[in-house]
Amino acid sequence: MKIAIIGAGAMGSRFGYMLQHSGNDVFLVDTWKEHVDTINKNGLLVEENSKLNSIKIPAFLPEEVVEIPELIILFTKSMGLKPMLKSINKIIGKNTQVLCLLNGLGHSETISEFVDIKNIFMGVTLWTSELIGPGHVKLTGSGNLEIQNLDPTMGVTAKKICQTLNDANLNAIYSKNVVLSIWKKACINGALNSTCTILDCNIEEFGQLKNSKKIITKIIQEFSQIASKYNIPLNIDEIVKNVEQTYDPNEAGEHFPSMHQDLIQNHRLTEIDYINGYISKKGKEFDIPTPYNNLLTILVHSKEELLIK
Amino acid sequence: MKIAIIGAGAMGSRFGYMLQHSGNDVFLVDTWKEHVDTINKNGLLVEENSKLNSIKIPAFLPEEVVEIPELIILFTKSMGLKPMLKSINKIIGKNTQVLCLLNGLGHSETISEFVDIKNIFMGVTLWTSELIGPGHVKLTGSGNLEIQNLDPTMGVTAKKICQTLNDANLNAIYSKNVVLSIWKKACINGALNSTCTILDCNIEEFGQLKNSKKIITKIIQEFSQIASKYNIPLNIDEIVKNVEQTYDPNEAGEHFPSMHQDLIQNHRLTEIDYINGYISKKGKEFDIPTPYNNLLTILVHSKEELLIK
């Protein structure tokens, strides 16, 4: 199967490598020129269990791509999605299936501006990966993913995409309610990313704070109120527990959330507008007060202004 | 007049020096032993216009004081007020007048547990000062203060206290509504202290943020709702303007608010519970939502937990 990985960061590179390894015809697309050039010159360096392999896999800048693939997997940063779809619009064929694996909320609306709804598939993944430098990815741990068709008539196709992913050992399952899973993951990100970023702490340190439960409960309550407007029933207590499980150092405790890595460690813009900021925006639209998400969004944007000159 | 300065930090030392200079019999009381010992050994070093003078002025630890003064001026940190009043309870005489010049809200309630209401005088000051180290204070700029009796029958006494302060060039005026002035100052502190602390920026940097007006307006709106429960009418637009005036580098712009100095720079506990935290506490009591002040209070306390081990 001809597959384009759009956004070849840590996760995109991992998926691209695994899908090529299982026999697909894969190419990578990314906006980071040094990364693309390095992959084309030296192959993609894949580090796994302390072994380093150089994998030959074609990589392109968005403006260079010409081939229409059968499957596109979207793995850009949230704020890069729309400009990327504009750039690669010419390779989105009439029958190209588009699977979105981005973090955050609101992406299906953006994709549907460029792709027929019957070709849109939404997913959520717990795989992890680490980009060491240009052209160099480190595979960490194991994971899985859930996917589902956005158009109710496209279930069979979604299951075929699952099969392609499973042939590459990506542990895909067909979900009957991927939107619920996407919202649950967004809640976890919404509870931990902005708070650990603003407080400059890792997940375990956050979990040990006297008021961590109070903060995450308020954040998740507001997510839940917006979700209910889309008939998505979020169980607040269950999600609070899910967040609290990540505090364990054997789980994610020792890690800094990706937003902290982006902003505090690397002075890069964050995905806040697609997590807490999405709740804040929808709160205004629906006239539902979401003050905790409002203030956290404003504080993260303020910190972006202060750190990114 | 025999005057005790209770809490001889930057401001207490300044007031103590100026009041002694104008002929009063002043002694200082502070919990910081090294500071007290240094003053008793070398005098209080007063730096003014690049000149350094050593001023002989008695200083005591709270447990050492024995003399009952005619006037007590309270200048402790907010969280030190109650323990200090317990320690010095024995020198609060039946006719000792007690003037409170602390920042923050809620202090008159605390003082009235120890002092007859007719002897309580509330004030607010714009003087500034800097403590360079133990026994060493630097006088910066000029200032003034407003004071008023808490008991309506005690106006004449309040005016006499004003006179004593004015004889020391402290520019005191008798106020007909000092509580309003205290709340206005608390609003300014509430808008700038917690935000600059959480964002780790100075006042000018904060003022340049795209969302600074939105944040301070929300904070001040919540202050105003609580104030109205005490029949204190706060003009939100006017206070927003007052806050914005401080952004100017010729005003306070280049400074970090005291809470930033306390927590971020010196890893000391903050006065948050007497500023935003007071609004948050009263919001719960009156069942008025104060989410911005709630979250800012929680974030500052969380930062205290992370930075103070």
Side-chain angles (χ1 to χ4, degrees):
Chain A
M1 196 179 200
K2 186 174 276 298
I3 301 173
I5 306 288
I6 307 297
M11 290 290 285
S13 294
R14 166 168 217 154
F15 271 60
Y17 158 68
M18 291 175 78
L19 284 162
Q20 174 175 283
H21 193 69
S22 66
N24 295 287
D25 179 11
V26 176
F27 64 94
L28 309 176
V29 179
D30 204 272
T31 54
W32 186 15
K33 191 170 186 314
E34 192 185 357
H35 186 48
V36 169
D37 289 348
T38 306
I39 294 171
N40 286 324
K41 194 175 162 206
N42 305 329
L44 176 68
L45 273 185
V46 176
E47 198 173 328
E48 191 176 14
N49 303 324
S50 311
K51 280 182 203 158
L52 208 58
N53 286 308
S54 166
I55 310 295
K56 205 171 151 51
I57 185 166
F60 300 94
L61 290 168
E63 56 272 24
E64 295 171 347
V65 290
V66 288
E67 274 191 291
I68 294 176
E70 295 164 80
L71 175 64
I72 281 173
I73 302 181
L74 296 171
F75 256 134
T76 62
K77 284 274 178 188
S78 295
M79 52 282 194
L81 179 61
K82 192 163 185 171
M84 178 62 96
L85 288 172
K86 278 184 189 164
S87 298
I88 61 147
N89 201 12
K90 58 182 175 298
I91 66 160
I92 305 174
K94 215 176 56 177
N95 298 311
T96 302
Q97 291 139 20
V98 177
L99 170 61
C100 173
L101 291 176
L102 275 66
N103 272 325
L105 298 168
H107 301 312
S108 57
E109 297 163 37
T110 305
I111 299 168
S112 64
E113 295 175 32
F114 298 89
V115 181
D116 187 341
I117 189 173
K118 81 175 168 50
N119 286 328
I120 302 177
F121 301 84
M122 298 304 294
V124 58
T125 178
L126 295 178
W127 283 97
T128 59
S129 186
E130 199 178 329
L131 198 67
I132 307 293
H136 185 172
V137 66
K138 185 176 173 183
L139 311 191
T140 53
S142 182
N144 57 51
L145 75 161
E146 287 179 35
I147 73 167
Q148 191 185 13
N149 38 301
L150 206 55
D151 180 324
T153 69
M154 296 297 288
V156 173
T157 309
K159 285 170 191 162
K160 280 188 195 156
I161 296 173
C162 274
Q163 191 54 54
T164 301
L165 295 163
N166 280 328
D167 291 343
N169 296 319
L170 280 160
N171 305 333
I173 54 167
Y174 177 76
S175 170
K176 288 186 173 156
N177 197 350
V178 80
V179 177
L180 179 62
S181 302
I182 289 171
W183 273 81
K184 282 184 184 174
K185 190 176 180 194
C187 278
I188 297 174
N189 281 323
L192 293 175
N193 271 281
S194 51
T195 47
C196 290
T197 299
I198 288 301
L199 291 171
D200 190 11
C201 64
N202 72 20
I203 292 172
E204 184 185 12
E205 288 171 325
F206 176 75
Q208 287 172 344
L209 296 172
K210 282 190 199 103
N211 286 304
S212 57
K213 187 166 200 141
K214 197 185 272 182
I215 303 179
I216 65 169
T217 304
K218 291 280 187 187
I219 293 170
I220 295 166
Q221 279 169 347
E222 293 177 3
F223 269 77
S224 163
Q225 285 181 286
I226 301 301
S228 71
K229 282 281 174 183
Y230 295 101
N231 298 311
I232 299 162
L234 294 180
N235 181 328
I236 295 169
D237 292 343
E238 177 199 312
I239 298 174
V240 166
K241 283 205 186 83
N242 292 342
V243 172
E244 289 179 335
Q245 280 161 7
T246 68
Y247 300 160
D248 188 334
N250 296 318
E251 300 290 330
E254 289 178 1
H255 293 270
F256 289 87
S258 59
M259 190 176 289
H260 185 283
Q261 294 177 38
D262 284 338
L263 181 53
I264 307 298
Q265 297 174 34
N266 296 304
H267 295 194
R268 286 195 295 248
L269 292 172
T270 72
E271 299 190 301
I272 188 77
D273 283 339
Y274 306 88
I275 309 173
N276 309 85
Y278 184 82
I279 300 307
S280 179
K281 186 177 85 171
K282 292 293 167 184
K284 282 182 197 83
E285 281 179 33
F286 296 130
D287 204 16
I288 294 172
T290 57
Y292 279 72
N293 284 285
N294 296 355
L295 181 53
L296 286 168
T297 302
I298 287 174
L299 289 173
V300 170
H301 278 315
S302 298
K303 202 74 197 162
E304 288 176 340
E305 282 184 72
L306 289 164
L307 290 179
I308 306 170
K309 300 293 176 188
Chain B
M1 195 179 203
K2 185 173 277 296
I3 301 174
I5 305 287
I6 307 297
M11 291 289 285
S13 293
R14 168 169 214 153
F15 271 60
Y17 158 69
M18 290 174 78
L19 284 161
Q20 174 175 285
H21 193 71
S22 66
N24 295 288
D25 178 10
V26 176
F27 63 95
L28 309 176
V29 179
D30 203 273
T31 54
W32 185 15
K33 189 169 187 315
E34 191 185 357
H35 185 51
V36 168
D37 288 349
T38 307
I39 294 170
N40 286 325
K41 195 176 161 204
N42 305 328
L44 176 68
L45 273 186
V46 176
E47 199 173 328
E48 191 174 13
N49 302 325
S50 312
K51 279 183 205 159
L52 206 59
N53 286 307
S54 167
I55 309 294
K56 205 170 150 56
I57 184 166
F60 300 94
L61 291 168
E63 57 271 24
E64 296 171 347
V65 289
V66 288
E67 273 191 292
I68 294 176
E70 295 164 80
L71 174 65
I72 281 174
I73 302 182
L74 295 171
F75 256 134
T76 64
K77 284 274 178 190
S78 295
M79 52 283 193
L81 178 62
K82 191 162 185 169
M84 178 63 97
L85 288 171
K86 278 183 189 164
S87 297
I88 63 145
N89 202 12
K90 59 184 172 297
I91 65 159
I92 304 174
K94 214 176 53 174
N95 297 312
T96 302
Q97 293 140 18
V98 177
L99 170 61
C100 173
L101 291 177
L102 274 65
N103 271 326
L105 298 168
H107 301 312
S108 58
E109 297 163 37
T110 305
I111 298 168
S112 64
E113 294 175 34
F114 299 87
V115 181
D116 188 340
I117 191 172
K118 80 173 168 51
N119 286 328
I120 301 177
F121 300 84
M122 299 303 293
V124 59
T125 177
L126 296 178
W127 282 97
T128 59
S129 186
E130 198 178 329
L131 199 65
I132 306 293
H136 184 174
V137 66
K138 184 177 174 183
L139 310 192
T140 52
S142 182
N144 57 53
L145 75 161
E146 287 177 36
I147 74 167
Q148 190 185 15
N149 39 302
L150 206 57
D151 181 323
T153 68
M154 294 298 286
V156 172
T157 309
K159 286 171 192 163
K160 279 187 195 156
I161 296 174
C162 273
Q163 190 56 54
T164 302
L165 294 163
N166 280 328
D167 291 343
N169 296 319
L170 280 161
N171 305 333
I173 54 168
Y174 177 76
S175 169
K176 287 187 173 157
N177 197 349
V178 81
V179 177
L180 178 62
S181 302
I182 289 171
W183 272 82
K184 283 185 185 175
K185 190 178 181 193
C187 278
I188 296 175
N189 281 324
L192 293 175
N193 271 281
S194 50
T195 48
C196 290
T197 298
I198 288 300
L199 292 171
D200 190 12
C201 63
N202 71 21
I203 292 171
E204 183 186 13
E205 289 170 327
F206 176 76
Q208 287 172 345
L209 295 172
K210 284 190 198 103
N211 286 304
S212 57
K213 186 168 200 139
K214 197 185 274 183
I215 304 180
I216 65 169
T217 304
K218 290 281 186 185
I219 294 170
I220 294 165
Q221 278 169 348
E222 293 177 4
F223 268 77
S224 161
Q225 283 182 287
I226 301 301
S228 70
K229 281 282 174 179
Y230 294 101
N231 299 313
I232 299 161
L234 293 180
N235 181 328
I236 295 169
D237 292 342
E238 177 199 312
I239 298 173
V240 167
K241 283 205 187 84
N242 291 343
V243 173
E244 289 180 336
Q245 281 161 5
T246 68
Y247 299 161
D248 187 333
N250 296 319
E251 299 292 330
E254 289 177 3
H255 293 269
F256 288 86
S258 59
M259 190 178 288
H260 185 284
Q261 295 176 38
D262 283 338
L263 182 53
I264 306 297
Q265 298 174 34
N266 295 308
H267 296 193
R268 287 195 293 248
L269 292 172
T270 72
E271 297 189 302
I272 188 77
D273 284 338
Y274 305 88
I275 309 174
N276 308 87
Y278 184 82
I279 299 307
S280 179
K281 186 177 85 171
K282 292 294 167 184
K284 283 183 196 82
E285 282 179 33
F286 295 131
D287 204 16
I288 293 172
T290 57
Y292 278 73
N293 283 287
N294 296 355
L295 181 53
L296 287 167
T297 302
I298 287 175
L299 289 173
V300 169
H301 277 315
S302 298
K303 202 76 196 160
E304 287 176 339
E305 282 184 71
L306 288 164
L307 291 179
I308 306 169
K309 300 292 177 188

